Amino acid sequence: MLILFGMPIVQLLLFGFVITNDLKDVKMAVVDHSKDSYTNEIINKITSSGYFKLTDNLESINQVEGVFRKGEVKLALVFEPDFATNLTKESKAKVQILTDASDPNMANLAVNYLQGILQNYNLEINRGKVLPFQVKPQTRMYFNTSLESVFMFVPGIMATILMLVSAMMTSISIAREKELGTMEILLVSPLKPLQIILGKVTPYLLLSFINALVIVGMGYFVFGVPVLGSFALLMAESILFILLALSLGIFISTVSNSQQVAMMLSMFALMLPTILLSGFIFPIRNMPLPLQLISNIIPPRWFIVVIKNIMLKGVGFEYIWKETLVLIAMTTVFIGLSVKKFKIRLE
Amino acid sequence: MDSHISIENLSKSYGEVLALQGVSLEIKSGELFGLIGPDGAGKTTLFRILTTLLLPNTGNVSLCGYEVVKDYKYIRNLLGYMPGRFSLYQDLSVMENLNFFATVFNTRIEDNMDMIHDIWVQIEPFKDRLAGKLSGGMKQKLALCCALIHQPKILLLDEPTTGVDAVSRSEFWQMLKGLKAKGITIVVATPYMDEANLCERVALIQDGKILQVDTPAGIVNQYEKDLYAIHTSDMYQAMLDIREYPSVHSVFAFGQVLHYTDKRDAFEVAELKEYLVNKGHEGVKIEKIQAVIEDCFMALSQENKLEQ
Amino acid sequence: MKDEKQVIRVRNLFKKFGDFTANHDLSFDVYKGEIFGFLGANGAGKTTAIKILSGLSYPTSGEIEVAGFDVYKQRELLKRNIGYMSQKFSLYEDLTVYENIRFYGGIYGLSRKEIKMKADELLTTLNLEHVRNKRIGELPLGWKQKLAFSVAILHNPDIVFLDEPTGGVDPVTRRQFWDLIYEASRKGITVFVTTHYMDEAEYCDRVSIMVDGKIEALDTPSELKKQFEAKDMDAVFLRLARNSSYQE
């Protein structure tokens, strides 16, 4: 009952809040080679819109890529030298918009918004003038130059599939043993809980690992998604995530007695958040604050960041150690919980 | 090894439901013991406590001298258990199932062939078939093999014959007799009263209480009332008529006859016969008979109900 | 108690699954008000036959009429005129006793008034007035089975199919259940019943015993015992079923 009535409400709220195509506080860096009143005005205009937030003032365009790699800043504005002079004398000035396109949805959206703001600005300064001044934006994408969404989907799908195969399958297979009564015999046997869990988990670990390879391979050979970073690192992180998903699966199975319950739980507790709240389809920074906070406890969120960074930005471990640490912590907690909750008795 | 089971004042409840109330039982080493009662009597709960899968609320239970709560790890090595639902992997073959359970108990099939040989020969022709594709009787035999593969000291069988046809049932009991000869203590739960006679001793259980524990003959001997079998042509009508008979104590259909007990100690067969003949029954024949377990169970369970 | 009106008429019924013949050339009649015992070992083909007779699956070949309706063409009418109950399927555990009665009454198109009347009558006969508003899940198995049977004949069907109705039920309740069966049969309802309790076979008017998809014997219990020189139905059954080639 709770599931039947509760789910639609939760889903509606989730979708309603998550699927907003509005931007909010996108972190932005500025490389201002001109530093005049016009550039100042433009920057003010942009930051006061509420969509963007200025976090870094950079000296050179070469620094932009480094900032992007860290993953915080998604957007950089580069004003050409003598911006004001060009604008007033030649009535034409250039500004470059650089975006981190490893998240193509986000990049597209940000560029559109910025262009809109600049257009408005053009109109404002040209009011009553014969020869119109023009601020000309040029956009450049980093990391995913052709802005292909498949680049984004590969990491997302990888997270979803691994979650599905690992967590759902383990939880269902353990629940199935409970239903059939085979679990009763295993429990009565001298096997230790850890042995039973390992026995159930190992095949799915292998399966999921093969899945991960297939997805990356398909992405590379069929869709041309690059793996810029270390392949070994990518696989290591995948195994970590699989372990996490498996431990989640066992955890779910300890609280469900039938395949149906296990299925429902994995669907609603894992699948939906993985798709909705992990940043796979909808950018996290656009969600309302409560959902942003919740997204922090959703494992795929961290995993997606990690693989995106490795595959599309080609960064090394030093850039993703934080996310990795979160994943390791989550895995430890769930394995601990499952071993503890895995009952040596029926109750 | 002395593989007796001792249960002392055992109680278990699920929320408000009392599944077992003050059960005490002594099952001797090497005995073929029957736990007989209908569904919901508490048989499965008792088995799950014996197999260390459930914790009792109160009471002491020990197997081979080991306590079920404290020494559960050790006890799990001594037990062979066949739960009510046949617990096999349907998508594994017969051989794979057996191998799997041998591995789980850290042993090999070859080392234990003498234990399961008699049963194994019956299913060996189908060893490559999936367990899910076996008939009920065959599944039951396979499950028994799997429960025996580690040479347990005590074998607990929870309703192994429920839903199994009469032929397979009688074969199964033959197998149990063979196992008993090997010195294993065997406890069988069953809802079929007629199977009581195949056990050495039985406990009759209902509503979480043990009604009586004895040999089947002992239970029958303790039946207090004089019991009569009544033959007539129209059994159902006769039963309805007898229920109206002033001094009737109980009347139950028993296959082709009615089992009758009277309230009075001095009961005249002729009187009842006349009553039935007057009601228009033909071929009325009344004879005194020996009670069977089912009579005893019904009498005891009704006393039990009255006490409540 | 019974008359010669056929309510089930089966001629040369075959049912095949691939090259396995589950029902081999079954021919029999069941009469109005009769209690017909349908026995057989596990896997002898009982369930397959019951499914065909109750309109749940089609036979491979053969002429079959149930309650006067053809199983090929008049399934819907047929289903309206039969009742069905099994050990596994009985009533909705989450609904109360009365809600279950109302639900099944509704399915068979009884009016509100009829349902109310029948429910009162049924609960009084079963002595279950006091649990009218209790959830089925809270009742003992024996009560559930009695109730399930009464609900299965709520719409006064011509035939009621009972698939192992008394499995696991305590001996006293089992007999009370048979009282209900007798009563129904007296009202003219044909009872078609399977069971693993051989003493219950004795309570039937006629018994058929299936072995390997064929009906090997069909007669009254006393005739069968005479024919096989056996002291009870248990012995008759064992003799027939032991000859079975069905050892998997």
Side-chain angles (χ1 to χ4, degrees):
Chain A
M1 280 301 183
L2 192 74
I3 291 174
L4 282 181
F5 290 112
M7 274 325 291
I9 295 173
V10 172
Q11 281 194 29
L12 200 66
L13 289 176
L14 270 180
F15 274 111
F17 282 116
V18 170
I19 313 178
T20 49
N21 278 327
D22 293 335
L23 290 182
K24 226 174 80 191
D25 291 341
V26 176
K27 289 192 182 127
M28 182 179 78
V30 167
V31 187
D32 193 348
H33 294 302
S34 179
K35 296 210 172 81
D36 53 44
S37 58
Y38 281 102
T39 57
N40 251 333
E41 207 178 351
I42 290 176
I43 293 168
N44 269 337
K45 196 103 209 146
I46 291 171
T47 47
S48 61
S49 71
Y51 301 130
F52 302 96
K53 205 166 124 190
L54 182 64
T55 51
D56 295 82
N57 268 308
L58 306 176
E59 290 304 315
S60 137
I61 195 163
N62 298 330
Q63 290 173 302
V64 171
E65 201 172 320
V67 177
F68 278 177
R69 269 183 213 286
K70 275 193 208 141
E72 284 286 292
V73 175
K74 296 282 173 200
L75 189 81
L77 277 183
V78 184
F79 294 99
E80 62 179 352
D82 306 320
F83 188 87
T85 331
N86 288 346
L87 193 65
T88 42
K89 296 259 166 73
E90 294 171 27
S91 65
K92 227 197 260 171
K94 281 194 223 133
V95 57
Q96 261 193 321
I97 304 172
L98 308 177
T99 55
D100 171 2
S102 58
D103 182 348
N105 285 340
M106 175 75 192
N108 241 339
L109 213 58
V111 169
N112 286 339
Y113 270 71
L114 264 182
Q115 282 177 339
I117 294 172
L118 290 174
Q119 209 112 59
N120 269 342
Y121 182 72
N122 277 345
L123 286 178
E124 252 173 62
I125 54 174
N126 288 333
R127 207 163 283 151
K129 283 192 182 133
V130 191
L131 198 67
F133 289 173
Q134 268 193 335
V135 176
K136 286 214 143 173
Q138 296 177 315
T139 48
R140 207 184 128 196
M141 304 287 180
Y142 273 68
F143 309 124
N144 173 9
T145 31
S146 50
L147 205 63
E148 285 197 52
S149 52
V150 69
F151 286 14
M152 179 54 207
F153 272 96
V154 166
I157 287 195
M158 190 149 149
T160 316
I161 296 279
L162 293 185
M163 202 69 173
L164 178 86
V165 174
S166 315
M168 202 185 248
M169 295 314 270
T170 355
S171 65
I172 289 177
S173 82
I174 293 185
R176 190 175 129 88
E177 295 227 16
K178 284 192 194 173
E179 244 172 52
L180 278 176
T182 35
M183 191 50 87
E184 246 173 273
I185 294 197
L186 294 186
L187 286 176
V188 169
S189 78
L191 288 179
K192 296 190 180 66
L194 194 66
Q195 282 175 299
I196 299 178
I197 289 181
L198 281 180
K200 288 263 74 166
V201 154
T202 323
Y204 292 108
L205 181 68
L206 272 171
L207 269 177
S208 307
F209 186 67
I210 293 171
N211 263 327
L213 283 177
V214 170
I215 296 171
V216 174
M218 286 267 287
Y220 187 77
F221 293 111
V222 181
F223 298 107
V225 182
V227 181
L228 297 177
S230 147
F231 183 72
L233 183 61
L234 181 65
M235 286 299 117
E237 294 279 352
S238 301
I239 291 177
L240 175 63
F241 182 68
I242 293 169
L243 276 176
L244 172 56
L246 289 172
S247 55
L248 254 172
I250 299 164
F251 182 69
I252 287 177
S253 73
T254 57
V255 292
S256 47
N257 278 320
S258 70
Q259 293 182 61
Q260 257 184 342
V261 176
M263 177 93 139
M264 290 290 262
L265 267 177
S266 351
M267 274 304 269
F268 293 128
L270 298 179
M271 286 297 293
L272 287 177
T274 302
I275 293 171
L276 294 179
L277 296 179
S278 66
F280 166 20
I281 295 179
F282 311 109
I284 292 167
R285 79 192 62 247
N286 297 351
M287 297 173 191
L289 190 67
L291 286 183
Q292 287 197 26
L293 291 178
I294 293 174
S295 79
N296 281 328
I297 57 163
I298 292 171
R301 180 220 152 118
W302 305 102
F303 182 59
I304 288 180
V305 172
V306 167
I307 36 180
K308 250 172 31 184
N309 281 348
I310 298 177
M311 287 174 73
L312 304 181
K313 295 189 192 169
V315 297
F317 187 68
E318 64 273 19
Y319 287 98
I320 51 170
W321 64 270
K322 252 192 281 173
E323 284 81 7
T324 310
L325 214 61
V326 172
L327 288 176
I328 290 177
M330 284 179 166
T331 314
T332 326
V333 167
F334 279 114
I335 288 185
L337 270 179
S338 322
V339 171
K340 208 168 163 204
K341 281 218 72 173
F342 192 85
K343 288 162 196 142
I344 50 161
R345 297 193 158 91
L346 300 165
E347 203 64 59
Chain B
M1 182 169 195
D2 181 27
S3 45
H4 72 281
I5 300 173
S6 107
I7 301 167
E8 238 174 84
N9 201 21
L10 175 67
S11 292
K12 173 78 189 173
S13 59
Y14 304 103
E16 280 177 25
V17 184
L18 291 165
L20 292 174
Q21 312 178 39
V23 169
S24 296
L25 269 182
E26 286 293 329
I27 298 169
K28 292 174 205 144
S29 185
E31 195 167 35
L32 176 52
F33 191 90
L35 190 63
I36 298 181
D39 287 6
K43 301 190 298 287
T44 299
T45 304
L46 181 56
F47 268 57
R48 288 189 168 163
I49 291 173
L50 287 176
T51 51
T52 75
L53 288 171
L54 279 180
L55 293 172
N57 292 124
T58 57
N60 294 315
V61 181
S62 69
L63 284 82
C64 308
Y66 294 92
E67 246 245 286
V68 283
V69 179
K70 210 170 69 226
D71 308 316
Y72 73 93
K73 280 191 179 146
Y74 189 75
I75 287 181
R76 288 179 180 189
N77 288 302
L78 304 173
L79 279 181
Y81 174 43
M82 202 169 130
R85 303 163 288 181
F86 293 150
S87 295
L88 297 165
Y89 292 94
Q90 313 282 324
D91 37 12
L92 292 184
S93 75
V94 169
M95 198 64 199
E96 285 165 340
N97 262 296
L98 194 59
N99 249 321
F100 174 79
F101 283 104
T103 318
V104 162
F105 284 95
N106 208 4
T107 178
R108 294 183 313 162
I109 299 177
E110 303 85 71
D111 300 343
N112 300 290
M113 209 18 126
D114 56 318
M115 185 65 147
I116 58 167
H117 180 263
D118 299 347
I119 310 162
W120 179 244
V121 290
Q122 300 180 47
I123 43 175
E124 202 178 2
F126 317 105
K127 66 180 180 190
D128 296 320
R129 191 174 296 194
L130 293 185
K133 296 244 161 76
L134 293 176
S135 70
M138 286 292 162
K139 269 188 202 167
Q140 186 196 36
K141 284 172 193 161
L142 175 58
L144 188 59
C145 278
C146 292
L148 286 168
I149 195 67
H150 60 294
Q151 310 235 10
K153 303 282 175 268
I154 296 176
L155 185 60
L156 298 170
L157 308 169
D158 192 3
E159 301 208 8
T161 53
T162 295
V164 175
D165 65 72
V167 178
S168 307
R169 265 161 63 191
S170 73
E171 279 175 17
F172 192 77
W173 279 96
Q174 281 308 315
M175 290 187 281
L176 292 190
K177 286 211 173 115
L179 288 174
K180 188 198 136 43
K182 296 194 163 86
I184 307 175
T185 308
I186 305 173
V187 187
V188 188
T190 174
Y192 295 99
M193 302 285 154
D194 52 343
E195 292 184 344
N197 294 319
L198 303 165
C199 305
E200 285 174 277
R201 282 200 312 144
V202 293
L204 305 183
I205 180 168
Q206 181 160 38
D207 297 334
K209 283 188 195 154
I210 301 283
L211 302 174
Q212 199 168 31
V213 188
D214 208 330
T215 59
I219 287 184
V220 167
N221 283 336
Q222 284 178 51
Y223 191 78
E224 289 160 355
K225 290 263 175 198
D226 288 338
L227 188 71
Y228 298 87
I230 302 174
H231 301 258
T232 69
S233 49
D234 185 350
M235 306 286 297
Y236 181 60
Q237 188 55 47
M239 190 159 70
L240 293 182
D241 288 336
I242 294 172
R243 280 186 191 153
E244 305 294 317
Y245 188 62
S247 60
V248 62
H249 177 259
S250 72
V251 58
F252 291 113
F254 256 85
Q256 45 203 327
V257 296
L258 296 177
H259 282 190
Y260 173 85
T261 57
D262 200 271
K263 279 184 196 152
R264 303 161 296 182
D265 289 334
F267 165 66
E268 284 296 326
V269 174
E271 202 183 304
L272 178 63
K273 190 169 179 177
E274 197 187 315
Y275 170 82
L276 284 173
V277 171
N278 284 340
K279 287 272 179 185
H281 290 278
E282 287 164 21
V284 179
K285 213 170 90 193
I286 302 177
E287 55 187 342
K288 193 163 179 227
I289 50 158
Q290 174 73 262
V292 294
I293 297 285
E294 199 159 349
D295 290 304
C296 306
F297 187 92
M298 287 196 284
L300 289 165
S301 77
Q302 288 196 321
E303 270 171 41
N304 182 33
K305 286 240 162 72
L306 284 179
E307 278 169 32
Q308 287 170 356
Chain C
M1 187 160 147
K2 44 184 166 162
D3 53 44
E4 295 304 295
K5 192 182 155 219
Q6 293 165 358
V7 286
I8 298 179
R9 185 170 176 278
V10 178
R11 290 292 176 275
N12 312 107
L13 162 63
F14 280 88
K15 176 74 183 184
K16 291 179 183 165
F17 298 104
D19 47 7
F20 174 70
T21 308
N23 290 152
H24 185 91
D25 200 7
L26 306 186
S27 294
F28 60 93
D29 295 316
V30 182
Y31 302 101
K32 185 169 163 56
E34 188 174 32
I35 301 175
F36 189 83
F38 199 58
L39 310 186
N42 300 102
K46 283 176 299 175
T47 313
T48 314
I50 288 188
K51 276 193 179 151
I52 293 172
L53 293 178
S54 52
L56 293 177
S57 74
Y58 284 119
T60 310
S61 67
E63 252 175 75
I64 301 117
E65 260 180 42
V66 176
F69 300 108
D70 186 85
V71 294
Y72 297 95
K73 292 173 209 138
Q74 296 169 300
R75 275 176 149 190
E76 295 315 310
L77 282 168
L78 184 159
K79 284 185 191 167
R80 280 198 163 266
N81 287 284
I82 61 169
Y84 178 81
M85 176 212 158
S86 81
Q87 186 187 356
K88 284 153 220 145
F89 163 78
S90 48
L91 299 167
Y92 290 96
E93 301 266 310
D94 295 339
L95 296 184
T96 66
V97 171
Y98 185 68
E99 285 166 344
N100 264 293
I101 299 174
R102 210 174 55 195
F103 175 73
Y104 282 100
I107 286 186
Y108 286 103
L110 300 185
S111 73
R112 226 166 237 270
K113 226 171 94 193
E114 273 177 301
I115 293 175
K116 200 178 161 345
M117 211 180 68
K118 292 236 178 193
D120 289 340
E121 187 190 310
L122 183 159
L123 291 174
T124 324
T125 1
L126 292 182
N127 242 331
L128 292 177
E129 273 291 337
H130 57 292
V131 293
R132 184 191 190 96
N133 294 317
K134 274 219 163 145
R135 292 208 347 253
I136 291 290
E138 297 171 38
L139 302 184
L141 177 73
W143 296 16
K144 274 192 237 174
Q145 296 301 83
K146 281 195 277 183
L147 204 59
F149 176 71
S150 306
V151 169
I153 58 167
L154 197 66
H155 58 298
N156 261 323
D158 292 332
I159 309 150
V160 60
F161 292 94
L162 306 176
D163 196 358
E164 279 181 55
T166 53
V169 176
D170 74 86
V172 177
T173 316
R174 209 148 64 78
R175 287 174 172 78
Q176 291 167 348
F177 192 91
W178 272 88
D179 279 3
L180 293 176
I181 292 183
Y182 279 119
E183 216 176 285
S185 128
R186 290 204 157 185
K187 279 197 250 165
I189 298 176
T190 305
V191 182
F192 194 97
V193 58
T194 74
T195 178
H196 282 314
Y197 292 100
M198 283 307 135
D199 60 330
E200 292 186 346
E202 313 265 4
Y203 308 152
C204 301
D205 292 324
R206 283 191 310 149
V207 171
S208 79
I209 298 177
M210 264 182 97
V211 180
D212 296 342
K214 295 181 200 147
I215 291 185
E216 289 291 333
L218 197 170
D219 215 322
T220 60
S222 51
E223 277 304 314
L224 285 175
K225 279 178 277 185
K226 243 184 246 161
Q227 189 187 332
F228 291 92
E229 294 169 350
K231 78 174 187 335
D232 52 22
M233 282 306 293
D234 199 17
V236 174
F237 183 79
L238 286 181
R239 281 202 50 181
L240 278 170
R242 276 253 160 78
N243 296 332
S244 161
S245 62
Y246 182 84
Q247 276 302 325
E248 189 57 19

